[in-house]
Amino acid sequence: MQAKRTLAALRKLKGVRQFLTVHVDTAAEAAAAAEAGVEMFTFEVDDRLDAVRAAAPGVFIQAGYPQGHMTSEEIAIRDGFAAMERGVDAIYFAGSLRIVEAMAKEGIPVCGHVGYVPRWGTWTGVRAVGKTAEEALAVYQRAKDLENAGAVFVEMELVPVELADFITRNTSMITEGMGCGAVCDTQYLFSCDLLGTHTGHYPRHSKKYADFVTLEGELHAKRVEAFRAFSADVNAGAYPEAAHEIRMPEAALEDFMTRATRTGS
């Protein structure tokens, strides 16, 4: 079994080589990604978490609670530790600095988020954030604020390559790049995009390495074909055959019939 990856081990990779981060949706995806060498997952703190942790015991898992869950320092600390008891290694939190700081002071590794933040998308729309000098300064300041609050990771989503490179070189945090070129400490994609598991929009920064929608369609067709063949066999008397049946030895059958007849009378 692969040794468990630690925060200390990941921090040693900063400036040495880029490592891989994937958001997985299932335990099966987690097992496959771990086998392929992915070092870190992102996930949710929900009822699937235990299965994902069991499927990939050596992978570093960063997980977040639903938006609005961590409304106070007390809740964040309590539930941050609760998640770590279930095998989470770091908490994702796109929220106030005071809550980031509260968790960090208790030794809970925290990941913040800058650039395009889906939870705050109404303020920006879905677009790259940081293409103007003013926006770039705001993104950089937010990153430094997270660092000063004690965050050890920062997800940078849809941030221009030049800005992502500058932040990565000027922060002690591990930068997770999604749509930021190849300059961040870790390259980050969602499994649903790279596996092709959906029919919705695929972001420009994503790359589809498989077409699971087609594969699932083919599997569904095979399932339907098998069920129809089973139905046809039953209706035609072709199933079950003698090979599928269990028969009593003749002597045992005669003995049973005799006893059953007596009992019935």
Side-chain angles (χ1 to χ4, degrees), residues 155-207:
E155 178 182 344
M156 296 200 291
E157 185 170 353
L158 304 186
V159 170
V161 173
E162 298 85 356
L163 176 57
D165 183 42
F166 181 84
I167 293 173
T168 298
R169 289 186 288 106
N170 288 278
T171 183
S172 62
M173 294 184 293
I174 295 171
T175 60
E176 303 170 15
M178 180 177 288
C180 303
V183 297
C184 294
D185 297 313
T186 174
Q187 191 62 254
Y188 183 22
L189 276 182
F190 275 64
S191 64
C192 61
D193 291 334
L194 70 89
L195 293 178
T197 62
H198 64 92
T199 58
H201 172 68
Y202 283 81
R204 181 173 67 177
H205 62 265
S206 68
K207 183 175 179 179

Side-chain angles (χ1 to χ4, degrees), residues 214-265:
T214 296
L215 290 173
E216 288 292 344
E218 292 172 352
L219 284 172
H220 178 73
K222 288 293 186 184
R223 292 185 190 104
V224 172
E225 181 182 337
F227 288 131
R228 283 178 175 161
F230 169 58
S231 176
D233 269 4
V234 171
N235 292 333
Y239 177 86
E241 301 174 38
H244 305 122
E245 296 176 339
I246 300 170
R247 295 283 181 168
M248 292 177 66
E250 186 174 347
L253 176 58
E254 290 179 359
D255 188 20
F256 163 74
M257 293 298 292
T258 299
R259 295 187 186 191
T261 302
R262 289 173 184 169
T263 303
S265 62

Side-chain angles (χ1 to χ4, degrees), residues 22-26 29-30 33 41-44 48 52 189 191:
V22 171
H23 183 92
V24 295
D25 290 320
T26 67
E29 289 181 0
F41 294 155
T42 60
F43 200 67
E44 296 80 35
R48 302 168 298 162
V52 167
L189 276 182
S191 64

Side-chain angles (χ1 to χ4, degrees), residues 21-27 29-30 40-54 60-67 69-70 79-80 82-93 113 118-119 155 178 188-192:
T21 300
V22 171
H23 183 92
V24 295
D25 290 320
T26 67
E29 289 181 0
M40 184 163 71
F41 294 155
T42 60
F43 200 67
E44 296 80 35
V45 182
D46 61 19
D47 58 4
R48 302 168 298 162
L49 175 60
D50 298 334
V52 167
R53 175 77 283 171
F60 193 96
I61 295 181
Q62 179 189 119
Y65 283 91
Q67 185 175 7
H69 179 85
M70 291 183 168
D79 292 356
M84 294 180 75
E85 285 294 318
R86 294 178 62 189
V88 169
D89 300 294
I91 301 296
Y92 167 87
F93 178 69
H113 197 154
R119 293 177 176 184
E155 178 182 344
M178 180 177 288
Y188 183 22
L189 276 182
F190 275 64
S191 64
C192 61

Side-chain angles (χ1 to χ4, degrees), residues 144-158:
K144 296 304 289 185
D145 288 345
L146 286 166
E147 180 180 20
N148 291 333
V152 292
F153 298 91
V154 61
E155 178 182 344
M156 296 200 291
E157 185 170 353
L158 304 186

